[in-house]
């Protein structure tokens, strides 16, 4: 027997004084602990007591001076949905009392047909049933809130009838009207993409028959507008005591946007790799052209002149000594040109002389206008502790940008600054040249080379420039 754990506050809504007196006598004989007993002979008075006193239980006569029938219960229940209501009914109101049970009353008692024992049972059971109902309602609300938060389509598949029940996700996510949703497995099956259907159904069947507790898969599912959405579906398989499956409860998650983002990321990575490859090829071709031009227009001409002098010296003894001296000078010039060219292509060992010294040597060997002064600030002691690969990347970026400045900027001052923070190496190259609009000017091979090198290191690059205001190149590379 369920027992009350604390004294009760009870409201009795009864306009017949004889019936009220008899009720209080039965209540006294029941022995239940009563803290307060409230009495109302009108519905309006009962509503006021509910608001001020909040009783644990209400006994309601359906026929009152200011209200009658089911409406009396409906009004009181709306005002106090959390309180148990037991209907007091005459023999003529039995059908009406039963209807109140459908609407939410916890019990009904026929006047003149109950005693103190039946009253005790009704009170105790009504209070407990209301508590259980409230817990069920709270759990249901919590369940619905959770479902909405996860944005999943919940389904319940009865393997015995092959019937599937859906929550509102089938309408909100996939766009089907409630009247169009069929609760059959065949309807669900037909919506799976034809290319995925056989695989999905075989996997479901395998998990059910193999004895697994769970199933999951990723596939495409048809929406009401004719398009397919990518879903991640998983189900929990329920089995009876004989380990026979009888039900599968699952949740279908819409991952269409995530799939699009993943595909876009892959496409972006492919495009980036293509761009890097293209820039690498362009750079190689440009370097080959420059090497070829340098060899043909400069070194080849010097060596040709030296060869001519040697040929003449072999045939003319009178000026042989003079010609040999000229040949020597030309060969020395060619050696110096080849050395300068090789230094430009292959930097010195950064581990031997350090990045700052390598940059100073590179600038010294560049063909720089006398009007252009270049300053290097690289006093951060952590610069030289960078890996040789990162030093080489920074060296090449400075080399590309300095070539751009020398060829295009018409600057009189340029500055290269290198420093580090805890997680990044920072490079800033400034000049006071003619500048340009980064939004309008297409990137040349030099800038594209810089971009590709920065992207390969997962770094960031920013160009700040405008016409007549010089240019600032900022590069951050993770350590």
């Amino acid at each position: 027997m369920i027992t009350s754990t604390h004294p009760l506050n009870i409201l009795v809504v009864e306009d017949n004084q004889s019936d009220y007196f008899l009720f209080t006598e039965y209540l006294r004989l029941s022995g239940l602990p009563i803290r307060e007993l409230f009495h109302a002979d009108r519905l309006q008075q009962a509503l006021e007591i509910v608001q001020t006193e909040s009783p644990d239980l209400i006994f309601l006569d359906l026929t009152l001076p200011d209200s009658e029938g089911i409406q009396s219960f409906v009004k009181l229940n709306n005002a106090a949905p959390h309180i148990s209501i037991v209907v007091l009914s005459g023999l003529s109101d039995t059908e009406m009392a039963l209807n109140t049970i459908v609407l939410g009353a916890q019990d009904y008692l026929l006047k003149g047909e109950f005693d103190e024992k039946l009253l005790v049972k009704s009170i105790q059971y009504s209070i407990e049933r209301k508590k259980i109902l409230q817990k069920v309602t709270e759990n249901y609300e919590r369940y619905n809130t959770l479902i909405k938060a996860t944005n999943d389509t919940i389904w319940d598949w009865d393997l015995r009838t092959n019937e599937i029940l859906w929550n509102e996700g089938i309408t909100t996510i996939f766009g089907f009207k409630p009247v169009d949703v069929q609760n059959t497995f065949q309807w669900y099956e037909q919506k799976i993409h034809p290319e995925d259907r056989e695989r999905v159904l075989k996997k479901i069947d395998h998990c059910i028959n193999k004895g697994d507790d769970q199933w999951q898969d990723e596939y495409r599912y048809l929406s009401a507008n004719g398009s397919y959405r990518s879903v991640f579906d998983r189900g929990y398989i329920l089995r009876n005591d004989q380990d026979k499956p009888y039900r599968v409860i699952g949740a279908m998650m819409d991952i269409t946007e995530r799939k699009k983002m993943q595909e876009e990321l892959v496409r972006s990575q492919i495009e980036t790799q293509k761009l890097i490859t293209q820039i690498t090829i362009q750079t190689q071709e440009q370097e080959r052209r420059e090497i070829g031009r340098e060899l043909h227009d400069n070194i080849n001409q010097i060596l040709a002149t030296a060869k001519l002098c040697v040929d003449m010296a072999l045939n003319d003894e009178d000026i042989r000594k003079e010609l040999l001296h000229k040949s020597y000078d030309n060969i020395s010039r060619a050696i110096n040109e080849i050395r300068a060219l090789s230094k430009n292509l292959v930097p010195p060992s950064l581990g031997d002389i350090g990045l700052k010294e390598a940059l100073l040597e590179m600038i010294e060997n560049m063909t720089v206008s006398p009007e252009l002064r270049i300053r290097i600030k690289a006093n951060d002691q952590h610069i030289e502790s960078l890996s040789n690969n990162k030093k080489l990347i920074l060296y090449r970026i400075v080399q590309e940008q300095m070539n751009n400045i020398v060829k295009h900027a018409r600057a009189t001052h340029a500055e290269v600054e290198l420093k580090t923070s805890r997680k990044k190496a920072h490079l800033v190259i400034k000049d006071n040249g003619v500048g340009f609009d980064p939004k309008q000017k297409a990137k040349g091979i030099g800038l594209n080379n810089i971009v590709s090198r920065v992207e390969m290191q997962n770094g960031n690059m920013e160009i700040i420039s405008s016409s007549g205001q010089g240019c600032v190149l900022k590069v951050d590379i993770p350590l």
Side-chain angles (χ1 to χ4, degrees), residues 56-59 80 82-86 106 126-127 130-131:
D56 300 302
L57 182 65
I58 300 174
F59 286 90
H82 58 290
I83 300 176
S84 297
I85 299 177
V86 177
Q106 296 305 309
S126 295
I127 291 175
K130 193 66 176 181
K131 288 180 180 178

Side-chain angles (χ1 to χ4, degrees), residues 93-144:
D93 298 331
T94 303
E95 184 176 351
M96 190 182 301
L98 288 171
N99 288 335
T100 62
I101 298 294
V102 176
L103 294 174
Q106 296 305 309
D107 201 356
Y108 78 95
L109 296 174
L110 288 175
K111 295 180 181 181
E113 296 287 327
F114 66 90
D115 55 15
E116 67 272 15
K117 294 180 180 179
L118 187 59
L119 183 61
V120 169
K121 289 182 180 179
S122 179
I123 290 174
Q124 293 174 334
Y125 289 161
S126 295
I127 291 175
E128 290 303 316
R129 277 197 296 266
K130 193 66 176 181
K131 288 180 180 178
I132 293 171
L133 181 61
Q134 283 181 317
K135 288 182 179 179
V136 171
T137 302
E138 289 172 1
N139 288 337
Y140 181 75
E141 291 175 351
R142 191 178 296 115
Y143 167 79
N144 275 341

Side-chain angles (χ1 to χ4, degrees), residues 73 147 153 169 193 210 267 301 303 329 335 365 370 380 407 423 426 455 458:
F73 170 78
I147 294 305
T153 300
H193 194 285
K210 183 183 177 182
R267 281 196 296 269
Q301 296 297 325
L303 291 175
D329 292 338
I335 291 172
N365 292 323
D380 188 333
K407 292 178 181 178
K423 296 182 178 180
H426 306 281
E455 287 181 346
N458 295 320

Side-chain angles (χ1 to χ4, degrees), residues 153-211:
T153 300
I154 307 300
W155 49 269
D156 187 343
W157 177 19
D158 190 334
L159 299 177
R160 296 162 297 188
T161 63
N162 230 16
E163 183 181 49
I164 292 184
L165 300 179
W166 304 87
N167 78 330
E168 62 271 17
I170 197 68
T171 59
T172 57
I173 297 175
F174 294 95
F176 292 106
K177 296 178 181 179
V179 295
D180 296 330
V181 178
Q182 300 178 22
N183 296 329
T184 64
F185 185 79
Q186 288 74 20
W187 186 85
Y188 156 78
E189 176 185 329
Q190 292 168 0
K191 302 297 180 290
I192 302 174
H193 194 285
E195 296 178 2
D196 301 333
R197 188 176 301 149
E198 184 179 356
R199 169 180 56 83
V200 173
L201 296 179
K202 279 186 176 180
K203 191 171 182 180
I204 293 175
D205 187 65
H206 176 76
C207 291
I208 291 176
N209 295 321
K210 183 183 177 182

